[in-house]
Structure formats: structure tokens, C-alpha cells
Amino acid sequence: ERTGKKQLRVYYTNANGLMNKLSELKIIIDSENIDIACITETHFHKEILDAEINLPGFTVYRGDRNFKLDRTIKKASEISEGGGSVIYVKNHIATVEESHHSSHDSTSVTIQTEIGNILIGCFYRSSSLNEDQNSEFLDH
């Protein structure tokens, strides 16, 4: 509660690689009293454990890149580096991950509040998506 009203403080940035910037993110979150942090272009992948990117007091929701950027193919084969998104939500905030609102490099959550639900999406769209990948991204 800030100035008599309940508020959520939401932070967004494009990290262009978050692993080596986690301590900086923690400083920003602490100093600005951030409740929800949405970060795009994390460059996270499935080999990075949640424990490696955890921020104390927050739940992490990930949208790692799981496809290859290649304009010459129609379907994903290998995984390209880069991309990805993450949402950090303070542990005391009731949250549900929303798989049907997430797509490549993206993630979303529903925040449950006393006055209703709030959908928070963190979407990264690479300019290198081929036509099929772009259509799939836009369909979500």
C-alpha cells in the first residue's frame, strides 16, 4: 500500500543477456521497491537452472528460446542463441502462469487481486522470425 492506495510497481527492460546483470537487476528491484519485473532478451536456455537466476523473495516465470531463427526453414530445428523473457513476481503476490498467452521467447502470468485479475505479458519478438514463426507468435 502506497499513499493509501494499493499499487503494483512493474519494471520492464530489454537486457540483451541477463545472466551477468542479475546483481544490477536486484539493486534496481530493491531500490525502486519493484513488485513485478518483466525482462526481455534474457538469453536464458533450458540448461540454465531456475536456482541460477533466482532472486530472493521472487517467483520466476520463464519463456526461454526453444527454436532456431532461420528464414529458410518452416519449422524449428535447433535452438538459436538469444531471445527469451522472464517475469519475476514477489512471492506474496498470488500468481498463475498462463501458458495459453505465451509463445516463442515470451511468458505471461495472471496476477490475482481483490478487485480482479490482471494479465501481465512479457513478449520478445525477434525481427529475424520467418513468416510461419511470425504468424505463430502473433496468433498467441
Side-chain angles (χ1 to χ4, degrees):
E1 196 165 313
R2 295 176 182 95
T3 64
K5 295 183 180 180
K6 292 182 181 181
Q7 298 178 11
L8 288 174
R9 292 183 60 93
V10 180
Y11 173 78
Y12 165 80
T13 192
N14 179 310
N16 192 19
L18 183 58
M19 188 60 93
N20 65 344
K21 299 170 186 160
L22 284 169
S23 59
E24 181 182 345
L25 176 62
K26 178 69 174 132
I27 291 169
I28 291 168
I29 284 173
D30 288 344
S31 65
E32 298 296 325
N33 197 21
I34 301 299
D35 298 304
I36 301 167
C38 301
I39 319 298
T40 55
E41 212 168 354
T42 60
H43 298 186
F44 292 162
H45 48 79
K46 66 181 179 180
E47 284 80 26
I48 296 174
L49 303 174
D50 285 353
E52 296 177 79
I53 60 169
N54 186 49
L55 295 178
F58 285 80
T59 302
V60 62
Y61 300 93
R62 298 169 60 163
D64 298 346
R65 176 163 292 165
N66 61 358
F67 64 99
K68 181 172 180 62
L69 290 173
D70 184 346
R71 293 179 185 273
T72 64
I73 61 172
K74 293 209 178 238
K75 294 290 177 192
S77 56
E78 300 172 29
I79 298 172
S80 295
E81 292 182 6
S85 66
V86 67
I87 300 175
Y88 289 97
V89 181
K90 278 191 177 173
N91 288 338
H92 73 273
I93 298 172
T95 310
V96 176
E97 188 167 19
E98 295 291 342
S99 59
H100 62 280
H101 287 292
S102 297
S103 62
H104 296 307
D105 286 341
S106 305
T107 191
S108 58
V109 297
T110 293
I111 307 300
Q112 299 168 331
T113 72
E114 294 172 4
I115 60 170
N117 293 340
I118 302 169
L119 179 64
I120 304 278
C122 188
F123 300 94
Y124 176 72
R125 183 197 161 276
S126 172
S127 60
S128 299
L129 293 177
N130 67 35
E131 187 176 327
D132 289 340
Q133 291 167 332
N134 196 46
S135 293
E136 184 179 340
F137 177 86
L138 294 173
D139 287 342
H140 289 279

